[in-house]
Amino acid sequence: MSIPLLQVNDLKKHFPVRSGLAALGVGRKRLVYAVDGVSFEIARAETLALVGESGCGKSTVGRAILRLFDITAGQVVLDGRRIDDLSAGALRPLRRRVQVVFQDPFASLNPRMRVRDIIAEPIRNFGLAKSSADLDARIGALMDKVRLPRDTVNRWPHEFSGGQRQRIGIARALAAEPDLIVCDEAVSALDVSVKAQIVNLLQDLQLDLGLALLFISHDLAIVEHMTHRVAVMYLGKIVELAPKRNIFSNPKHPYTKALLSAAPVPEPGAVRQRIILKGDVPSPISPPKGCRFHTRCPYVFERCRTEEPELRPIGSTHLAACHLHDLPPAQNPMAG
Ligand code: SF4
């Protein structure tokens, strides 16, 4: 059996709170449990969508994989090799293999660099071009891949629209010849029609180049179009993980069901019964005991308040973390 391209094992990232008395060294040190035991795998050429409300920890997972900071605990394994504990020097050749496309195409490109230099930077940094002619050929091919005219390569970022800038960001990511791209809300800041174009481009590139994508998004309508599997996060944990069709047609976690009920319905005239969750998302500084969703779950029962449910198989390819699945089917509203 081939090993997954990426394995994330029990990943934790806890940030110290830097405000008020704690920042002055007075009182108890407090932590934000941004990511608190997350595990998943991504195969080559696969898209895994990481979804959830703002603040659930999904972007922190992406940044941990990119080694933008040290993790608190757990492992990040790329192609069978652990990368979370590598020194900067040892990590350098592996950095090429995992690239990122950020949300904001206006902030993520250096305004003082021409497009040509933005795309050339990773090619030079990783020593990929054999000559200046090879560098030019690579830049031209990347402009073609992201469907930007080659003759715009000497322009500045501010001369492009938001969608075009995101294409430049994708070209920059592709320039490193990665195996995996972390798309961190990569289409969230774009207009609806531009969003669809960028999603189509990412899908085409994935097929063409055999890329794996970690698609971090809060937008379930987009996710439904472009992913193979979906991991749903709530307060620093994955609560459900399954192939896309299972998640969208037969969710097994009450939180996923509520999220889906709030997403736009693709068929005109179709009606989806909206589930309104009570209360706010609790603070990741003091997550609730037991099931973290119990303060908002419409199906909460006594066990949920004291015992944390594990993410475990509910069917051959479907994982969910919910005590309801220990009840007889007739008493389980998420059965079926
Ligand atoms: Fe709701 Fe309990 Fe399931 Fe948590 S474990 S999602 S509170 S039913």
Side-chain angles (χ1 to χ4, degrees), residues 89 120 161 209 288-289:
S161 68
L209 304 172
K289 288 201 167 35

Side-chain angles (χ1 to χ4, degrees), residues 16-328:
V17 179
R18 295 187 198 283
S19 62
L21 292 177
L24 300 170
V26 180
R28 207 158 46 90
K29 190 176 156 199
R30 302 180 80 197
L31 295 170
V32 178
Y33 297 89
V35 176
D36 207 17
V38 158
S39 302
F40 60 84
E41 296 177 353
I42 304 181
R44 281 161 216 287
E46 184 190 31
T47 301
L48 176 73
L50 202 51
V51 306
E53 290 162 293
S54 170
C56 68
K58 56 190 189 301
S59 287
T60 306
V61 171
R63 281 152 206 255
I65 291 166
L66 290 158
R67 275 291 303 266
L68 298 184
F69 43 64
D70 288 335
I71 62 175
T72 306
Q75 295 182 341
V76 179
V77 181
L78 183 69
D79 220 358
R81 181 162 179 204
R82 204 172 154 188
I83 61 168
D84 57 273
D85 58 354
L86 292 180
S87 65
L91 185 65
R92 202 178 139 67
L94 293 169
R95 275 210 186 277
R96 181 189 67 72
R97 301 184 60 188
V98 185
Q99 294 294 307
V100 61
V101 177
F102 288 112
Q103 173 175 4
D104 187 347
F106 292 87
S108 62
L109 302 178
N110 185 338
R112 289 184 203 86
M113 286 171 79
R114 293 182 192 272
V115 170
R116 182 182 198 289
D117 295 320
I118 290 171
I119 299 176
E121 195 173 45
I123 301 174
R124 289 199 185 103
N125 284 349
F126 295 114
L128 296 173
K130 296 180 196 74
S131 62
S132 60
D134 185 21
L135 177 66
D136 287 342
R138 283 170 181 262
I139 294 169
L142 286 161
M143 292 292 278
D144 294 346
K145 276 200 167 68
V146 299
R147 299 167 201 161
L148 284 173
R150 286 190 182 211
D151 61 7
T152 59
V153 79
N154 285 317
R155 292 193 188 164
W156 304 95
H158 73 263
E159 296 179 74
F160 294 85
S161 68
Q164 288 172 326
R165 288 184 202 207
Q166 206 54 312
R167 288 174 194 267
I168 298 166
I170 294 169
R172 177 179 57 186
L174 293 177
E177 299 182 346
D179 298 311
L180 170 70
I181 297 185
V182 176
C183 301
D184 188 0
E185 299 279 10
V187 297
S188 302
L190 305 175
D191 293 343
V192 176
S193 61
V194 181
K195 222 178 245 196
Q197 290 168 15
I198 299 295
V199 164
N200 289 340
L201 174 66
L202 286 168
Q203 283 181 309
D204 292 348
L205 289 170
Q206 178 175 49
L207 281 176
D208 194 22
L209 304 172
L211 282 169
L213 300 178
L214 176 62
F215 194 79
I216 298 169
S217 179
H218 67 278
D219 187 338
L220 287 167
I222 289 288
V223 161
E224 190 168 10
H225 281 289
M226 76 164 296
T227 197
H228 298 112
R229 290 185 303 140
V230 181
V232 181
M233 280 190 76
Y234 184 80
L235 258 189
K237 297 224 171 224
I238 291 179
V239 296
E240 186 161 10
L241 199 165
K244 172 179 73 176
R245 65 180 179 283
N246 299 26
I247 291 281
F248 283 89
S249 65
N250 192 12
K252 295 292 184 194
H253 195 282
Y255 177 61
T256 310
K257 194 173 173 185
L259 270 188
L260 287 170
S261 81
V265 182
E267 307 90 49
V271 180
R272 191 181 266 159
Q273 196 191 349
R274 178 91 192 256
I275 301 166
I276 308 285
L277 292 175
K278 283 181 277 169
D280 297 324
V281 181
S283 166
I285 295 175
S286 53
K289 288 201 167 35
C291 173
R292 293 186 176 197
F293 188 53
H294 87 250
T295 56
R296 302 171 80 202
C297 181
Y299 308 116
V300 59
F301 59 108
E302 207 40 49
R303 184 181 172 197
C304 310
R305 296 188 175 90
T306 54
E307 193 182 324
E308 182 159 17
E310 270 182 40
L311 187 67
R312 62 189 172 86
I314 313 288
S316 58
T317 55
H318 202 138
L319 306 176
C322 176
H323 294 314
L324 288 172
H325 298 290
D326 288 335
L327 299 175

